[in-house]
Amino acid sequence: ETGVTQSPTHLIKTRGQQVTLRCSSQSGHNTVSWYQQALGQGPQFIFQYYREEENGRGNFPPRFSGLQFPNYSSELNVTALERDDSALYLCASSQLAGRIDTQYFGPGTRLTVL
Amino acid sequence: QQPVQSPQAVILREGEDAVINCSSSKALYSVHWYRQKHGEAPVFLMILLKGGEQKGHEKISASFNEKKQQSSLYLTASQLSYSGTYFCGTDSNQGGKLIFGQGTELSVKP
């Protein structure tokens, strides 16, 4: 157990809808990173939040957006869902941004887009 | 750019050893190793930092060749619990934004 929690566990949506995924970071961690993991692939970096500000973004379109709250929990929002968005969405928390630190993953949210 | 892992898959008998390699075309500040079992989250194993510092699992070792931008994970006297997919994540800009390889699937048989 890493202390990182995510909700919901599973989600089914249809194309064009939007979705919000939630992540609670481990106690004492102020950085949350989001990853998308397609079946049979490694996690792909979406973006990172540090102290409520976006601190780096991967190669994902603007319809992927996020928030981080004062308690360091975070949300990932995806609008205009496409079938290719079907994946396991992982969040990982760490203690500090801008330095090398271990990232601890939550259990993930499995999103299916029909 | 995504690091390249090799082999893609390996099958072992209990007690055998394995080496998983991770190679990047970019200069690296750190390499992070994770194991993921089917349907579960990746679990942290080891972090290797530029300059030689390591942090991680007692029973698993790894190396980091900074000149070649390569890392290797050594699994010795494998146990059934070692089965899973191993990922290396590389950090090129010291910002914790990990780029993961495609994974190495390890199966340990009794």
Side-chain angles (χ1 to χ4, degrees):
Chain A
E1 293 292 328
T2 62
V4 181
T5 61
Q6 291 187 242
S7 63
T9 306
H10 295 87
L11 205 51
I12 299 175
K13 292 285 189 179
T14 56
R15 282 182 300 166
Q17 287 188 313
Q18 69 177 53
V19 68
T20 298
L21 310 181
R22 295 177 176 83
C23 171
S24 291
S25 58
Q26 188 176 120
S27 178
H29 286 184
N30 55 17
T31 303
V32 173
S33 303
W34 285 93
Y35 295 84
Q36 179 195 66
Q37 187 176 27
L39 204 59
Q41 302 294 318
Q44 189 172 357
F45 176 74
I46 303 175
F47 43 56
Q48 182 184 83
Y49 277 84
Y50 170 61
R51 292 187 174 179
E52 303 179 59
E53 297 285 335
E54 187 178 289
N55 183 49
R57 189 178 183 91
N59 190 26
F60 280 81
R63 59 191 186 84
F64 285 78
S65 64
L67 282 173
Q68 188 178 32
F69 300 98
N71 66 354
Y72 303 128
S73 65
S74 178
E75 287 183 355
L76 164 65
N77 302 289
V78 187
T79 59
L81 284 167
E82 302 175 359
R83 285 204 176 127
D84 285 350
D85 296 333
S86 295
L88 180 67
Y89 288 83
L90 296 160
C91 75
S93 78
S94 53
Q95 196 161 6
L96 286 174
R99 51 158 280 185
I100 299 165
D101 201 8
T102 302
Q103 296 188 22
Y104 295 95
F105 283 89
T109 294
R110 173 74 63 186
L111 173 66
T112 303
V113 182
L114 301 176
Chain B
Q1 281 200 341
Q2 186 181 37
V4 177
Q5 289 185 230
S6 63
Q8 289 189 339
V10 59
I11 299 175
L12 298 175
R13 292 287 181 188
E14 264 187 300
E16 291 182 338
D17 302 338
V19 180
I20 300 172
N21 301 300
C22 174
S23 181
S24 175
S25 59
K26 299 183 73 172
L28 301 176
Y29 281 97
S30 64
V31 180
H32 305 231
W33 286 96
Y34 289 83
R35 176 172 60 220
Q36 186 176 31
K37 294 184 182 285
H38 184 70
E40 299 180 8
V43 173
F44 169 73
L45 296 175
M46 176 78 69
I47 182 173
L48 300 108
L49 309 179
K50 187 177 180 179
E53 184 182 351
Q54 296 185 17
K55 294 190 288 184
H57 204 286
E58 290 180 358
K59 296 186 178 181
I60 294 174
S61 63
S63 64
F64 180 20
N65 185 324
E66 294 175 33
K67 286 186 179 178
K68 294 186 177 180
Q69 309 306 327
Q70 291 176 350
S71 178
S72 295
L73 186 71
Y74 305 97
L75 304 167
T76 57
S78 59
Q79 305 170 18
L80 295 175
S81 61
Y82 285 10
S83 293
T85 302
Y86 289 76
F87 292 101
C88 67
T90 57
D91 180 1
S92 298
N93 58 11
Q94 208 173 357
K97 305 161 190 66
L98 299 181
I99 307 300
F100 284 91
Q102 80 279 17
T104 295
E105 187 171 357
L106 179 77
S107 297
V108 181
K109 307 291 186 186

